Amino acid sequence: MKTFKFVYFLLAMFFIVSCGKDEILDSVEPESIKPEESVSTRAGLKTIGSGVMMQAFYWDVPAGGTWWNVVKGKVNAWSNAGVDAIWLPPVSKAQNGTFSMGYDPFDYYDFGQYNQMGSTETRFGSKSELESLISNAHNKGLNVIADIVINHNSGGDLEWNEFAGKNTYTKFDPMSNKFNRTKYDFHPNEAYNSDSGIFGGFPDLSHNKAYVQDWLWKRSNSVAKYYKNTMGFDGYRFDYVKGFEPWVAKEFRKSTGVFGVGEYWDGNVNTLKWWTDQAEMSAFDFACYYKMRDAFVGNNLNALSGDMLWKRNASRAVTFVANHDTDEIYTNKLLAYAYILTHEGYPALFYRDYEDWLSKSKLNNLIWIHNNLAGGNTSNLWTDNDEYIARRNGGGGKNGLIVYINNSNSWKERWIQTNWSSKRIKDYTGNSSWEPVTQGGKWVKIQAPPKGYTVWSLK
C-alpha cells in the first residue's frame, strides 16, 4: 500500500509542476488598504505594501533541511534593500517528507518536530529553525507570509468510502493530534458532492463542513490562529484559490485580520477583480504578468496598454515578473521589473531573479525608486511598439517619477510633459547623465538606452 501511495503522490505532483497616449488611470495608492479588510500589523514591523515582497524560495530549493537557515542569513540584507515582507513556502509536513515542497499537506501543525511521512524535519528544516527565522525577520522589521494550502490534503490512509464507492486515502491521523480527518471531511461526503475544483487527484477538503471550518479558522488553535498567534506569521498567501469559493479565504484571513493574497491563476482582469472583491483581499496580478510577457518577450510594448488588476484597484494587486510556477518572461526581464517597480500595486521579487540571475545592484536601485519616488496615480505619456513612457503623479510624500522603457536597439529621446515647472530633474538609474531643466510649461526632453530604461524625478 505504501508503494501505491507513493506512485499516487508522484502522479499528483505531475499536475502541480504542469500546474490612449494621455490616459489617466484612476487607482489607489498601494499603501492604502480598504477599511473592511481590517489588516493588522505587528508592532515594530514595516507596513505591508510600503516596500516590496520577496518570494523567499523557488521550486526544488536544496533539500536536506537547510533552507530556513539560508533565508535567515539573507533577511538583514533584504530589509536594508527595502523589502517589507518575505513569502515562505508551505511550512508544514507534507506526504513526501523531506522531498516535498509542501504543496501536498498532511499535518498542518508539524513544522519539522514529528517523525512522520518518513522524516522529522521538513525539506526546509526543523520547527526551531523556522521559529528562529521568523524571529530574526521580525527583528529586521520584516513581515513573514505563510503559504496556505487548504484546497487539498495528501498522505492519508485508505478507508472504505461509501460516498465515492471505493477506498480513498482520506483517513488522516497526524502525530500533532490536531485536525484529524476522515472521509466526511472531503468530497464527496454525505452532504456535499463537490466544490469549485479539485487539484491533481488529491483528497479535496469540504469547506462547508463545520468541523473543517472549526479547524481551519474558527477554533482558538485553528490553523489560521495558530499560524499567527503561536508561530508568528503576519499574512497568508492562499494556494490554488480556484479550488474553493472566495468566502473561504475571506473567513480564514478575517479570523486573524492579517494581510492576504490569493493565487487566482487567470489572466482575465474581470475575474481577478471579482475574486478580490469577493474575498476582500489582494490577488497576484496575472493580467499584468501576461501583458508583460506579450510586451517584453513578444517585443511589442503596446501590450502594456492592456487592462490589468493594478489599473482596477492597485491596493489589491500584487504584481510579479516570475514565481516558482511560471517564469515565461525570459528576455528583457529587467525591463519588466522596471515596469512593476515604478507602477502602482505591491511588487513581488522572485528569489532566483534577485539572488542568482539578474543584477542585484540594479534591482536594489529599482526597489529604492519604488519606495522613495513612486507615489500617486499613473498617466500614460507614450506607448508604441518599442517605447513606453509613464508618469507617476506624486503623492504620499513622494515626488513622483517618469519611467521611460526602451525595447529598441538604439538610444531614444522624447519630449514629455512632467508635473514640474522650471525644475532640474535627473535619471535615478544612472543610465543617462542628462540633468535637464523642465520648461515653464513643464515639458522636457528625456532619453533611454537601447534595451534599457531610465527613471526621472526632481534632483
Side-chain angles (χ1 to χ4, degrees), residues 1 4-5 155-160 166-171:
M1 286 301 175
F4 178 78
K5 284 171 64 178
D157 293 321
L158 272 178
E159 63 178 344
W160 170 249
K166 60 181 179 180
N167 289 319
T168 55
Y169 291 100
T170 48
K171 185 171 176 57

Side-chain angles (χ1 to χ4, degrees), residues 250-450:
K250 180 178 75 171
E251 294 301 321
F252 190 106
R253 188 202 66 78
K254 284 178 65 177
S255 70
T256 55
V258 298
F259 172 81
V261 56
E263 182 214 23
Y264 200 100
W265 195 333
D266 197 307
N268 187 321
V269 69
N270 294 312
T271 305
L272 293 172
K273 177 65 165 53
W274 164 82
W275 189 88
T276 59
D277 288 346
Q278 294 296 310
E280 296 180 9
M281 71 175 73
S282 298
F284 287 99
D285 195 346
F286 278 92
C288 176
Y289 171 79
Y290 286 118
K291 294 296 188 299
M292 289 193 299
R293 181 196 62 183
D294 295 343
F296 297 115
V297 180
N299 292 310
N300 184 0
L301 299 193
N302 286 304
L304 298 177
S305 296
D307 207 354
M308 306 173 190
L309 182 59
W310 74 259
K311 297 181 182 182
R312 300 289 190 93
N313 188 345
S315 70
R316 286 181 173 166
V318 177
T319 53
F320 66 100
V321 176
N323 62 31
H324 62 294
D325 283 326
T326 183
D327 190 14
E328 298 173 85
I329 303 176
Y330 52 87
T331 59
N332 302 313
K333 184 178 273 191
L334 196 58
L335 274 62
Y337 274 108
Y339 180 84
I340 68 168
L341 286 163
T342 55
H343 283 65
E344 293 166 81
Y346 179 28
L349 301 174
F350 182 46
Y351 180 95
R352 300 219 72 177
D353 287 339
Y354 185 82
E355 291 291 340
D356 301 326
W357 293 338
L358 299 179
S359 167
K360 187 178 293 187
S361 63
K362 290 181 179 179
L363 286 174
N364 282 341
N365 169 250
L366 286 169
I367 295 169
W368 186 91
I369 287 170
H370 171 269
N371 294 355
N372 291 277
L373 301 177
N377 62 6
T378 306
S379 300
N380 177 249
L381 303 180
W382 184 272
T383 307
D384 62 23
N385 191 76
D386 294 325
E387 298 169 74
Y388 173 86
I389 309 175
R391 183 178 70 224
R392 293 295 299 277
N393 291 302
K398 300 177 182 180
N399 287 327
L401 56 81
I402 310 286
V403 57
Y404 190 166
I405 297 175
N406 175 14
N407 197 34
S408 76
N409 293 313
S410 59
W411 280 86
K412 295 290 185 179
E413 300 175 359
R414 290 279 174 193
W415 281 92
I416 51 93
Q417 189 172 28
T418 72
N419 286 323
W420 312 300
S421 178
S422 303
K423 298 290 186 180
R424 187 172 299 279
I425 65 172
K426 62 173 283 188
D427 166 36
Y428 278 83
T429 71
N431 292 328
S432 171
S433 60
W434 286 8
E435 293 189 0
V437 175
T438 62
Q439 297 180 346
K442 302 180 180 180
W443 287 84
V444 72
K445 181 189 281 189
I446 58 174
Q447 64 173 184

Side-chain angles (χ1 to χ4, degrees), residues 214-235:
D214 286 345
W215 274 107
L216 287 182
W217 68 81
K218 288 185 175 179
R219 295 170 58 110
S220 61
N221 63 342
S222 65
V223 173
K225 292 171 184 173
Y226 195 93
Y227 277 47
K228 176 180 182 286
N229 300 329
T230 301
M231 296 303 294
F233 284 101
D234 309 290

Side-chain angles (χ1 to χ4, degrees), residues 2 5 106 117 153-161 167-174 179-186 203:
K2 295 295 183 184
K5 284 171 64 178
F106 173 75
M117 296 293 113
N153 293 164
S154 189
D157 293 321
L158 272 178
E159 63 178 344
W160 170 249
N161 188 333
N167 289 319
T168 55
Y169 291 100
T170 48
K171 185 171 176 57
F172 288 76
D173 294 309
F179 198 13
N180 296 52
R181 284 141 281 162
T182 68
K183 57 192 173 186
Y184 297 99
D185 305 311
F186 299 94

